[in-house]
Amino acid sequence: MKIPPPPGYSLIVRIDLIDRDPRQPRKYFAPESLKKLKENIAVTGVFHAIYIRPNPEKPGRYLVVAGERRFRSLQALEVEEYEFRVVEKGLPPYIISIIENSHRENLNPIEEAESYEEFLKQEGASVVKLCAFNGKYPNDIYRALRLLKLAPEVQQFIREGRLNKGRLQDLAQYKNLSEQIELAQQLV
């Protein structure tokens, strides 16, 4: 089996020319986790590439596609420039973000569901095509998407990691939002 090479090309770019991509699936970055990663990078360096793309709205600037935690660590270490992987064509950047995050399994369940929803909207694609990109089963995708029907308060508990992943499908069965919230509060 031939494995495709990583997308893009390498380019040294000043850190101050790179912005956060608003379409990044991950929205929450635990401060303690970022601190540990920063300390680790200061000692060992960055082992996985950080992907960026040209910012279509700001010529001469870039957006982080994948590796935002590593990027934030470089910022915290006050690194001035770094060698990034630049993606200009091929897979859309949000697909690369979904793939990287699903490989690492560190998105919270709501962020994961939102990234799947974004893929399905942007690509007009089927769940089967999404499964081809991230290696999940269709039922996993459908279960994840069902979480987006939960009350916003319940979704926040999930984002914060206050609800056990095994309990999420139980909550998703309740159509009444106030019942969801009440049960979620009891579980928390």
Side-chain angles (χ1 to χ4, degrees), residues 13-28:
V13 178
R14 286 191 358 239
I15 299 285
D16 64 343
L17 294 177
I18 302 172
D19 302 310
R20 182 179 192 284
D21 189 341
R23 293 173 64 187
Q24 155 69 261
R26 178 185 302 282
K27 306 291 185 234
Y28 175 74

Side-chain angles (χ1 to χ4, degrees), residues 103-155:
H103 285 185
R104 294 189 195 267
E105 295 188 40
N106 56 3
L107 288 178
N108 72 54
I110 297 298
E111 291 171 331
E112 181 180 3
E114 289 171 340
S115 71
Y116 295 161
E117 183 179 61
E118 176 76 8
F119 172 85
L120 296 171
K121 275 191 223 173
Q122 293 295 325
E123 293 297 303
S126 68
V127 167
V128 173
K129 184 174 179 184
L130 175 57
C131 292
F133 282 117
N134 71 0
K136 303 262 182 178
Y137 293 104
N139 283 345
D140 295 333
I141 305 296
Y142 289 121
R143 272 195 293 275
L145 291 170
R146 197 170 16 181
L147 298 177
L148 298 178
K149 294 180 174 28
L150 293 171
E153 296 89 339
V154 176
Q155 289 186 29

Side-chain angles (χ1 to χ4, degrees), residues 8-140:
Y9 57 90
S10 293
L11 181 68
I12 295 175
V13 178
R14 286 191 358 239
I15 299 285
D16 64 343
L17 294 177
I18 302 172
D19 302 310
R20 182 179 192 284
D21 189 341
R23 293 173 64 187
Q24 155 69 261
R26 178 185 302 282
K27 306 291 185 234
Y28 175 74
F29 297 85
E32 185 60 33
S33 174
L34 284 174
K35 180 181 177 208
K36 286 180 184 176
L37 181 60
K38 177 187 103 173
E39 291 167 357
N40 183 270
I41 286 174
V43 173
T44 63
V46 178
F47 278 93
H48 299 283
I50 301 170
Y51 289 85
I52 60 175
R53 69 181 171 106
N55 187 332
E57 297 171 8
K58 298 178 183 174
R61 295 192 64 80
Y62 297 87
L63 294 171
V64 176
V65 173
E68 186 165 339
R69 289 179 64 242
R70 295 183 298 277
F71 173 72
R72 287 177 180 224
S73 294
L74 292 177
Q75 285 180 310
L77 290 166
E78 299 180 2
V79 171
E80 291 182 22
E81 60 183 23
Y82 190 77
E83 185 174 347
F84 297 91
R85 295 292 296 182
V86 180
V87 180
E88 290 185 8
K89 57 186 175 185
L91 292 176
Y94 61 89
I95 293 176
I96 294 170
S97 291
I98 291 170
I99 293 168
E100 173 169 282
N101 282 302
S102 68
H103 285 185
R104 294 189 195 267
E105 295 188 40
N106 56 3
L107 288 178
N108 72 54
I110 297 298
E111 291 171 331
E112 181 180 3
E114 289 171 340
S115 71
Y116 295 161
E117 183 179 61
E118 176 76 8
F119 172 85
L120 296 171
K121 275 191 223 173
Q122 293 295 325
E123 293 297 303
S126 68
V127 167
V128 173
K129 184 174 179 184
L130 175 57
C131 292
F133 282 117
N134 71 0
K136 303 262 182 178
Y137 293 104
N139 283 345
D140 295 333

